[in-house]
């Protein structure tokens, strides 16, 4: 059995007996002599590269993406009977860490301070004596009400970090209950939560049901001092509605790591907003434990056992 391994990351999985690994160039079509591969591992592939693989790898039976979100693989056109597994868990620490950085940058106004530094201006209005607690501004995680929409593995790593700095964290997921010591409610409870929310963190996956879900109807329910953070998928957030809300003062600001179109076009109005923090899809990018996950799934595949992180199709 042949397994195609991307050259975009150093992988050293344990290969079961009879399994042969071949490293391929993610920037080029898979060579003709390797289109008989049964397993295809994706990481850093372009949409065209994935579509080419879907067309030409006639023997492929399983695609393992190292990305947490499998949307790019699902859009590539692999046959419906091809198993797709995602890289859930591989990015939890790095995305949680980056999200915390965005949150603290928003609370401490680092976006405005950097602009002032570039202009060699002493931004005295952002320093000196400040209110201990300003109910009309998001300036600290202390006693802040934080809602994390999409409460999976990343949220499980992020929520304790926010709580350690004093935040009150509530998760939103498909099923209500308690996860990792935090209350989790369903989407139906959002109208109750949003009016008192200081910070809304979006970690939703890209699916037909989440397209543009974080939009004007959500922003209208948030208080004017609230910030929105998106580290899930760009397609889940209505960028035009967000821009309008920030420009009008309906929202205080946003910190965004993912966008509907990437790279973000230079014509996007988001670039010019002082209270919009932009990072270039930098939260993940380092799938920690990828070889271990691949080793486990390869062993399970060979033994006809269930694979980890199978994506429903």
């Amino acid at each position: 059995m042949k397994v195609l391994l991307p050259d975009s990351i150093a992988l050293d999985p344990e290969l079961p007996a009879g399994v042969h690994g071949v490293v391929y160039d993610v920037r080029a079509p898979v060579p003709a002599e390797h289109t008989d591969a049964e397993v295809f591992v994706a990481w850093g592939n372009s949409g065209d590269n994935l579509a080419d693989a879907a067309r030409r790898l006639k023997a492929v039976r399983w695609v393992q993406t190292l990305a947490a979100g499998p949307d790019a693989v699902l859009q590539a056109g692999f046959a419906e009977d091809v198993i797709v597994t995602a890289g859930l868990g591989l990015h939890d620490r790095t995305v949680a860490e980056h999200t915390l950085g965005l949150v603290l940058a928003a609370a401490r106004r680092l976006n405005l301070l950097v602009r002032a530094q570039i202009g060699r201006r002493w931004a005295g209005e952002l320093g000196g004596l400040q209110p201990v607690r300003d109910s009309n501004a998001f300036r600290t995680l202390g006693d802040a009400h934080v809602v994390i929409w999409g409460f999976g593995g990343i949220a499980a790593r992020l929520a304790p970090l926010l709580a350690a700095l004093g935040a009150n964290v509530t998760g939103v997921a498909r099923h209500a209950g308690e996860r990792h010591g935090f209350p989790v409610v369903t989407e139906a409870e959002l109208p109750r939560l949003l009016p008192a929310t200081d910070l809304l963190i979006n970690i939703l996956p890209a699916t037909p049901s989440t397209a543009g879900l974080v939009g004007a109807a959500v922003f209208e329910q948030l208080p004017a001092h609230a910030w929105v953070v998106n580290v899930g998928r760009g397609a889940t957030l209505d960028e035009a509605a967000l821009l309008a809300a920030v420009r009008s003062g309906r929202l205080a600001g946003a910190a965004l790591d993912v966008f509907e179109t990437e790279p973000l076009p230079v014509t996007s109005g988001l670039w010019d907003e002082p209270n919009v923090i932009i990072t270039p899809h930098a939260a993940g990018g380092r799938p920690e434990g990828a070889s271990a996950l691949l080793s486990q799934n390869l062993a399970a595949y060979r033994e006809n056992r269930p694979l980890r992180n199978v994506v429903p199709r």
Side-chain angles (χ1 to χ4, degrees), residues 35-264:
T35 56
D36 58 343
E38 188 171 336
V39 180
F40 181 73
V41 182
W43 177 244
N45 307 64
S46 67
D48 289 342
N49 181 274
L50 291 174
D52 178 77
R55 285 193 303 269
R56 297 175 54 240
L57 271 58
K58 302 301 183 184
V60 70
R61 293 294 174 267
W62 163 35
V63 176
Q64 169 74 66
T65 175
L66 302 182
D71 39 300
V73 167
L74 295 178
Q75 294 166 8
F78 288 95
E80 288 296 320
D81 61 348
V82 172
I83 301 169
V84 175
T85 52
L88 297 177
L90 304 183
H91 305 272
D92 291 355
R93 185 190 66 81
T94 55
V95 177
E97 187 177 74
H98 191 87
T99 306
L100 180 62
L102 291 176
V103 168
L104 292 175
R108 304 309 303 167
R109 299 298 189 266
L110 296 189
N111 52 310
L112 300 181
L113 292 170
V114 169
R115 284 174 176 253
Q117 178 182 349
I118 292 172
R120 300 189 177 191
R121 183 180 73 84
W122 184 263
E125 72 279 9
L126 295 174
L129 304 181
Q130 301 173 49
V132 173
R133 176 68 179 174
D134 186 349
S135 60
N136 295 315
F138 170 58
R139 295 303 305 271
T140 176
L141 282 171
D143 295 323
H145 291 278
V146 180
V147 172
I148 303 178
W149 197 351
F151 206 88
I154 294 170
R157 295 291 293 266
L158 174 64
L161 302 177
L162 300 173
L165 292 172
N168 302 299
V169 180
T170 303
V172 179
R174 284 178 291 183
H175 303 289
E178 183 178 297
R179 299 186 190 179
H180 311 285
F182 296 91
V184 176
V185 301
T186 64
E187 187 180 319
E189 291 292 306
L190 276 173
R192 175 180 65 83
L193 291 178
L194 292 178
T197 296
D198 300 301
L199 179 68
L200 174 63
I201 300 176
N202 172 26
I203 319 181
L204 289 169
T207 67
S209 63
T210 62
L213 188 60
V214 185
V218 171
F219 305 146
E220 289 168 2
Q221 297 177 72
L222 289 166
H225 70 266
W227 275 67
V228 172
V229 176
N230 189 17
V231 292
R233 282 292 184 264
T236 65
L237 185 141
D238 185 335
E239 292 177 7
L242 176 71
L243 182 58
V246 173
R247 279 181 170 172
S248 68
R250 185 67 195 79
L251 280 181
L256 311 173
D257 184 57
V258 290
F259 302 88
E260 187 172 2
T261 300
E262 296 182 357
L264 181 66

Side-chain angles (χ1 to χ4, degrees), residues 283-301:
R286 290 165 288 172
E288 299 176 327
S291 290
L293 173 63
L294 187 55
S295 297
Q296 293 173 21
N297 268 351
L298 280 169
Y301 183 78

